[in-house]
Amino acid sequence: MSALRTSLRPVVATTTSAAAALLLALAGPGAAAAQQPAPAAPAAPRSVVYRPPVADTGIFSPVPLAPPDVYRSADGSPGPRYWQQRADYTIRATLDTAQQRLTGQVRIRYTNNSPDTLRFVWLQMDQNLFRPGSTGSLLFAAGSRFGGAGFQGGFEVDRLVEERTAARPAARAGRGARPAPASTAAGAPLKSRVDDTMMQVDLSAPLAPGAATTLVVDYHFAIPEHGADRMGREGSLYELAQWYPRMAVYDEVHGWNTIQYLGQGEFYLEYGDFDYQVTVPAGYIVAGTGTLVNPQEVLTATQRARLAQAAKSDTTIHVVTAEELASGAARPTRSGTATWHFRAKDVRDAAWAASPEYLWDASSWEGILAHAYYRPSAVATWKDAAKMSRFSIQEYSTRWFRYPYPQISAIEGPVSGMEYPMVAMEAKGDSPEDLYNVVTHEIGHMWYPMIVGSDERRYAWMDEGFNTFINTFSEEDYWKRNDTPTRRQEARFVFMLDQQPTAQAIMTPANRYLNNNNLGSLAYVKPSIVLLALRNKVLGPEVFDRAFREYTRRWAFKHPQPSDFFRTMENVSGEELSWFWRQFFFTTAVLDQAVESVQQSGGEAQVVLRNLGSAVMPVELELTYADGQKEVVRFPVEIWYGGNRYVARVPAPKPIVAARVNPDGGFPDVNASNDAWSNAPTTR
């Protein structure tokens, strides 16, 4: 009882008789029997010292995630009533190289799978970034990577109508009678309102749950030369992306997602099927999302035969050679136009490129074609690009989730690196190593966010960070090397950034990054580093890989939130990881473990470990004995429950001359200078 009273004395100056009885009861029957004072007059009231309430806000406190519901389950999987909208596109477009303009019509069949009745919809009008005075043009200068200034562009909408389709009831002609043909209402003009890069469209009538409507938009736009490094043109080459009005996402988390496109933040899109035709000058070769539907009309018999050969070959086949390009045999018809027709299923976007100078290589892995399109000026680095693409598809399919699409196209051009479904745009590159790192990165995006359709504008780390993480294994496997020393340097760099005045947390939306260092750190490198630490130092590779694969499987072709990832990793691994998410994703906490001292006696060593940073991790302690033998002792993260100092007692049958935490550099420790303690004799 005395210990309990002592612990309470600084807080409570006196207790009521009821509280005293409770304390006696907690102390046990013996103590209660020994405390039987004679009745006395009530003591005069004394003041009570009140302290401010204490909340559990430490690094080990729970992360305040949105509560699970019928749409998103507590284990991180889609709930029993999860839904998402669907948008199917039919696009017909013409590229005018003389006017450097694209004219098109998009028909969007929009299906309302939500439980809500919609009276208006929102479309993404990304080309409006290049309108004078756009918000993005005010933030990013014309010469910067994401610059939208200095160009007279933007979508011009020539016609906007809606078509409603309703099936007539079947005639009463007995069992199995088919319904009469559907009737389609004539296109009704729609009212719209453009807000920078978004357009609100009032529907002609409310769209009920389960119903569908078709929006028809005739449009054109001037093609910017430098399209925020995501599309554009260079000489006779065109890379077309954000080239049609796209449906905004409507979900149960935010309703309509209408965050503006400012150039830096990327995209959040619905899934659907695409059928698109692009008409280009007859001498052009087109590469794009999906499968080419009309090869007989746009390819020569020789090219079709080589493609058939490539579909069964694990080595590179030259579909269009430099000699054929120079002689004109690659494009025997040079005048007029040609229409290339593509189809793609279950994708969230479509992009394409066209050039009269493209060489074309192809290979395949298990029936999936890996293409490379590049100009003769890029031969030195791009001659193995088809091989690089094939290897990347195999690597990610084998390790994480099988690639579900029929082809991948690596496309050389002015865009330094950008991804779209089945399309990876890259610049020429300075070396084969430089090119592979970009090729495998953009192809890695086929998994995140093309297969796992995250919200890139709010959570860039869920595509760039995950992708940088899986690139680690692809680069090491392709070059057959160990990149651990490079990752150690990257870890120290990004965690030093967390000590700068401009530091931000990983959860910061992409449009709000304060500088390019934060973009590289928060979206790409830091998430990859901490996920590698979670894999290698907390969960173990086998457990982590199983959980990460399960996350990918669960959310393939769906829209996950961060909480879905966090909960999946915890439930599949069986580990409570709030401390990990809190410190590395929601804050700028840094890790700094240290060995303070070592004392030995009686066959035991007392090693004083310190956690000098605001982040916590398990500890790996390497002990070096006088005879040169080394031993690694591991301690769980829970040793820091009691504070930032822990005395580790370990058997020590021999004299210890050195002790070091983080001996292999696998933890993201910001300060290596205090990792080691040494008692080795010095020599003069």
Side-chain angles (χ1 to χ4, degrees):
M1 189 66 189
S2 60
L4 182 59
R5 284 180 171 172
T6 300
S7 67
L8 294 174
R9 191 172 295 122
V11 179
V12 183
T14 186
T15 64
T16 63
S17 58
L22 174 60
L23 296 180
L24 290 175
L26 291 173
Q35 301 284 336
Q36 296 293 334
R46 296 174 62 186
S47 62
V48 177
V49 179
Y50 291 104
R51 297 278 176 88
V54 177
D56 183 7
T57 58
I59 206 68
F60 287 104
S61 59
V63 174
L65 301 178
D69 52 30
V70 294
Y71 307 116
R72 298 173 190 271
S73 298
D75 70 347
S77 61
R81 294 175 60 186
Y82 174 82
W83 56 268
Q84 68 188 48
Q85 309 291 64
R86 183 176 180 87
D88 299 301
Y89 294 84
T90 302
I91 312 172
R92 304 292 181 261
T94 299
L95 173 64
D96 184 339
T97 56
Q99 298 294 322
Q100 297 173 335
R101 187 171 82 164
L102 185 135
T103 302
Q105 180 189 84
V106 58
R107 300 175 63 87
I108 310 171
R109 180 172 173 79
Y110 185 69
T111 304
N112 181 17
N113 293 319
S114 81
D116 307 322
T117 296
L118 304 179
R119 290 171 170 77
F120 59 84
V121 297
W122 283 92
L123 273 66
Q124 301 186 50
M125 307 291 283
D126 305 288
Q127 285 297 320
N128 289 357
L129 173 69
F130 308 109
R131 279 184 171 174
S134 72
T135 303
S137 71
L138 302 176
L139 296 176
F140 299 102
S144 64
R145 179 177 181 186
F146 304 113
F151 185 74
Q152 299 287 331
F155 278 125
E156 297 295 337
V157 175
D158 302 311
R159 187 173 72 112
L160 171 60
V161 300
E162 180 185 12
E163 298 175 353
R164 289 288 177 101
T165 302
R168 299 192 184 105
R172 295 185 179 181
R175 183 178 179 181
R178 295 183 177 181
S183 62
T184 302
L190 299 176
K191 293 182 179 179
S192 64
R193 176 177 65 89
V194 174
D195 178 12
D196 205 16
T197 62
M198 304 294 299
M199 181 170 69
Q200 187 183 48
V201 178
D202 292 333
L203 299 177
S204 60
L207 189 65
T213 189
T214 298
L215 304 179
V216 183
V217 187
D218 294 348
Y219 64 95
H220 66 273
F221 66 91
I223 301 170
E225 181 177 8
H226 173 67
D229 201 26
R230 304 196 188 282
M231 51 86 65
R233 53 186 168 83
E234 184 176 82
S236 60
L237 185 152
Y238 290 80
E239 292 181 313
L240 275 299
Q242 295 85 59
W243 57 288
Y244 58 96
R246 306 184 293 184
M247 292 301 305
V249 171
Y250 183 78
D251 60 30
E252 94 288 357
V253 180
H254 300 287
W256 285 106
N257 287 262
T258 56
I259 298 177
Q260 298 287 347
Y261 175 48
L262 305 181
Q264 180 166 278
E266 295 185 1
F267 310 110
Y268 187 28
L269 299 162
E270 299 288 13
Y271 287 91
D273 295 344
F274 281 70
D275 183 307
Y276 68 98
Q277 298 180 27
V278 292
T279 299
V280 299
Y284 275 62
I285 292 173
V286 178
T289 300
T291 300
L292 181 63
V293 175
N294 62 335
Q296 293 83 2
E297 298 175 19
V298 294
L299 300 181
T300 67
T302 300
Q303 291 162 0
R304 297 197 300 271
R306 290 171 180 169
L307 274 177
Q309 181 185 359
K312 301 177 181 178
S313 174
D314 58 3
T315 60
T316 299
I317 304 298
H318 301 297
V319 180
V320 174
T321 68
E323 293 75 18
E324 292 165 340
L325 203 62
S327 68
R331 307 302 297 153
T333 302
R334 310 287 296 182
S335 61
T337 61
T339 298
W340 295 63
H341 187 182
F342 295 87
R343 288 194 185 119
K345 296 184 68 64
D346 296 324
V347 294
R348 52 177 247 163
D349 198 2
W352 53 281
S355 172
E357 300 181 76
Y358 272 148
L359 303 173
W360 182 358
D361 296 338
S363 179
S364 68
W365 177 75
E366 295 191 355
I368 299 168
L369 277 165
H371 302 281
Y373 300 84
Y374 55 98
R375 291 168 292 183
S377 58
V379 169
T381 49
W382 274 74
K383 59 184 176 60
D384 289 328
K387 174 186 174 184
M388 295 174 177
S389 301
R390 179 189 184 278
F391 186 92
S392 298
I393 292 293
Q394 179 180 359
E395 160 71 26
Y396 301 132
S397 292
T398 303
R399 191 182 289 271
W400 305 116
F401 185 88
R402 183 175 173 83
Y403 188 67
Y405 301 123
Q407 63 94 3
I408 182 68
S409 294
I411 302 173
E412 182 261 332
V415 174
S416 63
M418 188 58 200
E419 72 284 351
Y420 301 97
M422 300 180 238
V423 167
M425 297 178 179
E426 295 93 12
K428 180 170 62 175
D430 297 326
S431 67
E433 182 179 48
D434 173 66
L435 179 62
Y436 182 77
N437 292 349
V438 180
V439 165
T440 201
H441 178 81
E442 305 310 336
I443 291 179
H445 276 305
M446 299 306 113
W447 280 260
Y448 315 99
M450 301 306 160
I451 295 173
V452 181
S454 55
D455 179 352
E456 301 176 82
R457 206 156 285 174
R458 283 188 176 88
Y459 310 112
W461 60 271
M462 293 184 75
D463 77 294
E464 298 292 0
F466 288 171
N467 188 28
T468 304
F469 166 74
I470 67 173
N471 297 160
T472 301
F473 308 101
S474 176
E475 293 172 18
E476 288 187 335
D477 290 349
Y478 188 82
W479 298 112
K480 297 180 172 57
R481 70 188 185 199
N482 183 350
D483 286 340
T484 300
T486 300
R487 291 198 297 271
R488 290 177 190 167
Q489 295 175 359
E490 291 175 341
R492 287 173 185 158
F493 173 73
V494 300
F495 282 97
M496 287 305 297
L497 289 177
D498 285 340
Q499 303 308 296
Q500 302 301 311
T502 55
Q504 295 174 284
I506 284 177
M507 294 292 284
T508 304
N511 285 336
R512 300 214 303 266
Y513 294 150
L514 295 178
N515 52 46
N516 284 335
N517 278 340
N518 285 7
L519 168 63
S521 173
L522 304 181
Y524 296 76
V525 182
K526 185 176 177 181
S528 174
I529 288 169
V530 299
L531 288 177
L532 285 167
L534 180 62
R535 178 183 188 265
N536 297 329
K537 299 300 183 181
V538 179
L539 299 180
E542 182 179 352
V543 173
F544 179 96
D545 290 357
R546 179 183 180 188
F548 200 70
R549 282 193 291 266
E550 179 63 12
Y551 165 75
T552 306
R553 185 197 66 79
R554 286 178 175 180
W555 291 97
F557 310 107
K558 297 181 177 68
H559 297 317
Q561 294 290 311
S563 58
D564 301 315
F565 172 68
F566 298 149
R567 286 176 169 138
T568 294
M569 296 302 292
E570 290 188 356
N571 278 268
V572 178
S573 70
E575 295 290 335
E576 201 285 319
L577 297 170
S578 288
W579 59 274
F580 190 89
W581 314 129
R582 174 182 289 278
Q583 65 191 9
F584 289 134
F585 288 81
F586 290 87
T587 78
T588 58
V590 294
L591 181 71
D592 184 10
Q593 297 177 347
V595 180
E596 184 176 277
S597 64
V598 178
Q599 293 183 346
Q600 282 185 265
S601 64
E604 182 183 79
Q606 293 188 6
V607 183
V608 178
L609 303 173
R610 294 298 300 270
N611 196 74
L612 302 176
S614 47
V616 295
M617 284 288 274
V619 174
E620 290 184 0
L621 174 66
E622 180 186 75
L623 302 175
T624 302
Y625 296 102
D627 61 2
Q629 181 184 355
K630 294 185 178 183
E631 177 186 8
V632 176
V633 185
R634 293 175 173 82
F635 300 92
V637 72
E638 286 82 2
I639 66 172
W640 306 117
Y641 278 177
N644 64 2
R645 185 176 185 272
Y646 180 77
V647 180
R649 292 175 170 83
V650 296
K654 296 175 289 187
I656 296 174
V657 296
R660 175 183 293 275
V661 293
N662 194 22
D664 66 355
F667 288 94
D669 192 303
V670 73
N671 181 15
S673 66
N674 57 16
D675 288 358
W677 169 93
S678 176
N679 193 33
T682 59
T683 58
R684 294 184 179 179

